[in-house]
Amino acid sequence: MLTEALRRFNRTYTQRIGVLDESFLGTGRPLAVSRLLFEVGSTPGTSVRGLRERLDLDSGHLSRLLRRLETEGLTTTTPDPVDRRRRVVELTPAGRTAYDDLERRSEERAAALVAPLTARQRERLDEALRTADLLVRAATVRLSEVAPDHPSAQEATRRYFAELDARFPEGFDPGGPVAPEPGATYVVASSDGEPVAYGGIRPALDDHTAEIKRMWVHSAWRGAGLGARMLRHLETLAAAQGRRRVVLDTNGALHEAIAMYERSGYRRIERYNDNPYAEAFFEKRL
Amino acid sequence: MLTEALRRFNRTYTQRIGVLDESFLGTGRPLAVSRLLFEVGSTPGTSVRGLRERLDLDSGHLSRLLRRLETEGLTTTTPDPVDRRRRVVELTPAGRTAYDDLERRSEERAAALVAPLTARQRERLDEALRTADLLVRAATVRLSEVAPDHPSAQEATRRYFAELDARFPEGFDPGGPVAPEPGATYVVASSDGEPVAYGGIRPALDDHTAEIKRMWVHSAWRGAGLGARMLRHLETLAAAQGRRRVVLDTNGALHEAIAMYERSGYRRIERYNDNPYAEAFFEKRL
DNA sequence: AGCATCCTCTGACTGTAGTCAGAGAATGCT
DNA sequence: AGCATTCTCTGACTACAGTCAGAGGATGCT
């Protein structure tokens, strides 16, 4: 039973590995302050707001923690020239030293933990942790509808076009700014604020058909089932809009995508548009 | 790099799974109190001392947490009839209900976390977590020298003899209480207070030789490299005592043990004692 | 029987984490 | 230009976690 394995591991974790956080102790700083220092050090040029979101802290609490780092001479906080309400946090040289110290402690702690294992065991552990990491991250991805001009959507679209350009033998040119599509709905899957998958539907052909557009999965996240999940999500949305059929087009170079459509119950159909990049056409009845 | 995978997972964990602990929140009780309730519920008849060790709490702190559970009517604390300095903590019926509630919350949380995964992905995650769990537990096993009459040593010896009796075609009879062995050193590997591997060395044959005795690994822990690790540890101890050679005898039925000795650089030698159960004899130069 | 030790508990603290309300500056919108 | 909104910060708290010293009963050892 998976939940049992998860809960058992949770226990092992808090007793054994969780102690990794303890590497942040013994620095004379409270845990929260160390965590903040670590976060500032690993995301240079971050704003107070960004920190608040990533660490999920109360604004007053965070402000005080920042003041503490500042009086220790580890960080500087200056107004963001772009939007002077925001303030940007940076490490001072002393802060960099303190950050490196945290890095070192964390690394040493991790190394000490696995030191008793043989080379073979380390490989197995490495493999197991990477798998668990990917799957847990994939499970906790959040799907949300976004406007096409939302920063995440823009970023995802940019990456999608770049991928097409790299993979099509003839390259890909979106041909100028993307025209607004009335009635279209776009969905972005994000993890830690980063877009990791994207896709949308728009009305097409007739009143009971929707077309799936711009299906994209971040290259580091392939094999985690995100594509299929996004597809299911879009189908549900289309059904909720009263569509009884979805169609899509794609390029022959995108083998995994085509395989995924087939696994997900899509059937090949005849060309239904004049998209010069499209070579394969699919439909699915909902 | 394993430490990288470990540290990355650590991050994912604290942000995602770590939230399992949050299932203990929303009960109107502080986290520490819930954790204590959970511990009391999962180890019936435990003493205050046992709780203190397992949860690694200050005695004053723990005492106050226990008082809190008691005034809530969830536990009773009564003197241990065997040793009236100790006190034994038990759940009341109301406490059992509260414990079941924690169990349910924890289970629901775990189920919700993995809900977005497909069956195939769940299997992979299950497998990965079990592997990681075994290896992390194996890595954090603690080796310590013990007197042969130490409870852990007794328990390990009992299990060792039981195993021999089960595996030898002719059975095994230790022949009365074990005689004290002058100069012998025994080591127990324990995890969560349970013995998981055992072994010892004693002077033998001549001044520069030690004999390895009673090598045992808990059946649930085989394949985690504990035997080889115990062996290395014993060899180091022998070398520190000025021995230049270790010898050991074993029975032909113990295939994995024999394979391990060979992998660890042991060579077969002639019979060097009259142990009726021994069929194979090994030595290793240190 | 006497003394060291063990076990649990209370008292008296300190520091950390986190919440909530609201002030004041900067910005966006119409 | 005016007004709502955003962002960060301070003040004022509350609860929680954890430490240390020491009291007092129970036990083990010789």
Side-chain angles (χ1 to χ4, degrees), chain B residues 150-162:
Chain B
H150 184 281
S152 286
Q154 298 268 1
E155 168 72 7
T157 306
R158 200 186 55 68
R159 282 166 168 271
Y160 172 64
F161 288 162

Side-chain angles (χ1 to χ4, degrees), chain B residues 158-262:
Chain B
R158 200 186 55 68
R159 282 166 168 271
Y160 172 64
F161 288 162
E163 165 110 16
L164 295 187
D165 190 44
R167 297 193 52 179
F168 292 178
E170 71 276 22
F172 175 79
D173 176 11
V178 182
E181 303 166 297
T185 307
Y186 281 91
V187 173
V188 67
S190 43
S191 178
D192 290 325
E194 282 275 295
V196 295
Y198 187 61
I201 50 172
R202 66 174 185 194
L205 303 177
D206 56 51
D207 281 355
H208 58 269
T209 304
E211 183 179 21
I212 288 186
K213 298 293 294 176
R214 297 195 205 162
M215 277 289 300
W216 166 81
V217 175
H218 192 296
S219 56
W221 288 72
R222 302 209 177 130
L226 279 183
R229 191 166 152 208
M230 176 63 78
L231 211 50
R232 283 199 305 277
H233 188 75
L234 294 174
E235 289 162 11
T236 309
L237 286 181
Q241 288 172 6
R243 311 285 161 174
R244 299 203 299 271
R245 184 174 82 119
V246 289
V247 296
L248 59 87
D249 66 18
T250 189
N251 184 285
L254 306 174
H255 318 101
E256 327 87 290
I258 290 179
M260 182 188 73
Y261 296 137
E262 287 172 340

Side-chain angles (χ1 to χ4, degrees), chain A residues 3 10 12-13 107 121 133 224, chain B residues 3 10 12-13 107 121 133 224:
Chain A
T3 57
N10 187 41
T12 300
Y13 182 91
E107 184 71 24
Q121 290 175 317
D133 190 59
Chain B
T3 56
N10 187 42
T12 299
Y13 182 89
E107 184 70 25
Q121 290 175 319
D133 191 57

Side-chain angles (χ1 to χ4, degrees), chain A residues 232-276:
Chain A
R232 280 199 306 277
H233 188 75
L234 293 175
E235 290 162 10
T236 308
L237 286 182
Q241 289 173 6
R243 311 285 161 175
R244 298 203 301 270
R245 183 174 82 120
V246 287
V247 295
L248 58 87
D249 66 18
T250 188
N251 184 286
L254 306 175
H255 317 101
E256 326 87 289
I258 290 179
M260 182 189 74
Y261 295 137
E262 286 173 341
R263 270 200 314 278
S264 300
Y266 283 73
R267 279 189 329 116
R268 283 191 189 253
I269 54 174
E270 291 298 301
R271 173 180 284 275
Y272 63 78
N273 65 19
D274 56 359
N275 175 355

Side-chain angles (χ1 to χ4, degrees), chain A residues 73-84:
Chain A
L74 302 179
T75 58
T76 55
T77 318
T78 48
D80 181 343
V82 177
D83 179 344
R84 308 244 319 284

